Amino acid sequence: MSETSLVSLKRRIKSIKNTQKITRAMGLVASSKLRKVSSKLLVNNQFYRSFSHTIDQIITYGSHIDNKYFECSNCKKKLYIVFSSDLGLCGSFNASVFDKLVKEIGGNKENCQIITIGQKARGMLRKTGLASVAEFVDISDVPEEEDADVIATKIFEIFDEGEFGEVYCIYTKYFTPVKQEVLLKKLLPIEKEKEPKEAIKTTFEFEPEEKEFLTNISHFYIKQCIYNFFLNSRASEQGARMSAMDAANKNGNDIIDKLQLKYNRIRQSAITEAIAEIVGGAEAQK
């Protein structure tokens, strides 16, 4: 009985150690990918903040803006763009995004539709009664602007049809490898994020004419938003995966310690029992 238990425990310990080799490798790969995408995000954040500040100035100090991308419509339907990962093993990264989506939609499913980015969002969406108008999968770990451009083009294509009055993004903002936060960002109609710091008022002259300029800058702004959210989401994914793999390794060590202790106790008990039998046999022969 004890021999069988010892063999079983040795197999379990070996299996956990083999699993740890995989989780350590995945953690190292995630760390490498995080360095690549976070360096790109650092540069993009500066451009994104500057461009958002320019948009805020146009909205605040410009003349009355007559453009559908800046004005609210009477349509109550909403479109949500949900950023998730293509792969799993990244802790609660995807579940947190989907929980945010469900919370925002509430009981208004009939007036909401979704664009999913990533395999996981598509898979989770199919388990609910929510409708998907487009799906984007298998995008690289370090997204390029071309990826954002394809999604932005699809958003404007749908919005221009007048079926939706508002467009929102749900993504995970990256702060550090161990800190990420799921955020909701309104994309369309475009609203200022905060009051410009300059207290002076100015008049804008548009070149080309105002309608064309505002349409062009709207397209470019939404593309930059999507790209920034993409980089934040990918960096958060890799950070979450690193944390998940680190936690898996620590849990593996705890389990191995407990199994090793149990193994030693059974082995010691077997040795003690064997010694007792030897001593008993020797005593019987006297």
Side-chain angles (χ1 to χ4, degrees):
M1 179 70 177
S2 59
E3 283 293 330
T4 304
S5 298
L6 288 174
V7 172
S8 176
L9 287 171
K10 287 182 73 173
R11 286 175 178 170
R12 289 183 64 188
I13 291 171
K14 184 179 179 180
S15 175
I16 294 171
K17 287 182 176 179
N18 289 336
T19 302
Q20 282 184 312
K21 292 178 182 178
I22 298 173
T23 55
R24 288 194 189 99
M26 291 184 65
L28 291 173
V29 171
S31 176
S32 175
K33 291 180 178 179
L34 176 59
R35 282 195 296 271
K36 293 178 181 178
V37 70
S38 61
S39 62
K40 213 166 189 177
L41 175 61
L42 184 63
V43 175
N44 181 261
N45 275 338
Q46 298 175 359
F47 178 77
Y48 174 72
R49 284 192 294 265
S50 297
F51 195 31
S52 297
H53 177 66
T54 300
I55 293 292
D56 289 347
Q57 285 186 314
I58 292 174
I59 296 174
T60 303
Y61 301 133
S63 59
H64 175 68
I65 296 177
D66 182 18
N67 189 284
K68 63 181 177 181
Y69 300 131
F70 291 85
E71 295 180 336
C72 294
S73 68
N74 294 324
C75 182
K76 300 300 181 183
K77 288 190 175 182
K78 299 178 181 180
L79 177 66
Y80 290 88
I81 296 92
V82 183
F83 288 80
S84 71
S85 67
D86 285 313
L87 303 176
L89 297 177
C90 47
S92 61
F93 173 79
N94 293 302
S96 298
V97 172
F98 203 70
D99 287 346
K100 182 75 170 178
L101 173 65
V102 173
K103 182 179 178 181
E104 289 297 327
I105 291 177
N108 194 31
K109 290 184 179 181
E110 64 278 2
N111 289 323
C112 298
Q113 288 191 332
I114 320 295
I115 289 178
T116 61
I117 300 174
Q119 296 275 8
K120 294 302 177 179
R122 182 173 67 175
M124 289 187 288
L125 201 66
R126 288 175 178 174
K127 298 177 182 178
T128 68
L130 298 172
S132 171
V133 295
E135 299 173 346
F136 298 90
V137 297
D138 298 328
I139 297 173
S140 63
D141 294 312
V142 184
E144 300 294 338
E145 288 200 41
E146 290 76 12
D147 300 318
D149 190 39
V150 173
I151 297 171
T153 300
K154 184 64 178 179
I155 292 171
F156 278 106
E157 178 185 313
I158 296 173
F159 189 79
D160 288 342
E161 293 174 355
E163 187 177 350
F164 298 98
E166 296 177 341
V167 179
Y168 293 87
C169 267
I170 296 178
Y171 74 105
T172 308
K173 185 174 178 60
Y174 174 82
F175 293 97
T176 68
V178 295
K179 182 184 178 183
Q180 302 94 33
E181 182 181 356
V182 180
L183 298 179
L184 176 76
K185 165 71 176 179
K186 187 175 184 179
L187 282 186
L188 291 170
I190 298 172
E191 297 177 346
K192 60 184 176 183
E193 295 186 0
K194 56 186 178 181
E195 291 291 341
K197 294 180 180 179
E198 289 81 1
I200 60 172
K201 291 188 177 181
T202 185
T203 301
F204 283 87
E205 294 184 5
F206 297 100
E207 180 64 35
E209 58 93 20
E210 182 176 332
K211 184 177 180 180
E212 183 181 352
F213 172 83
L214 291 175
T215 298
N216 292 340
I217 201 171
S218 297
H219 280 251
F220 189 69
Y221 174 67
I222 297 304
K223 173 185 173 182
Q224 292 305 316
C225 285
I226 295 294
Y227 186 50
N228 183 264
F229 301 163
F230 236 138
L231 292 174
N232 271 284
S233 181
R234 283 293 189 259
S236 298
E237 175 193 346
Q238 301 305 337
R241 185 167 287 111
M242 283 174 58
S243 297
M245 294 303 100
D246 183 58
N249 283 324
K250 290 179 180 178
N251 290 337
N253 288 332
D254 292 340
I255 295 173
I256 288 174
D257 289 341
K258 291 177 182 178
L259 291 176
Q260 191 67 54
L261 181 61
K262 187 176 180 179
Y263 176 87
N264 291 339
R265 285 175 176 172
I266 293 175
R267 185 167 179 271
Q268 184 63 46
S269 177
I271 293 172
T272 302
E273 184 179 342
I275 292 174
E277 289 177 356
I278 292 171
V279 172
E283 290 290 334
Q285 291 179 355
K286 289 182 179 180

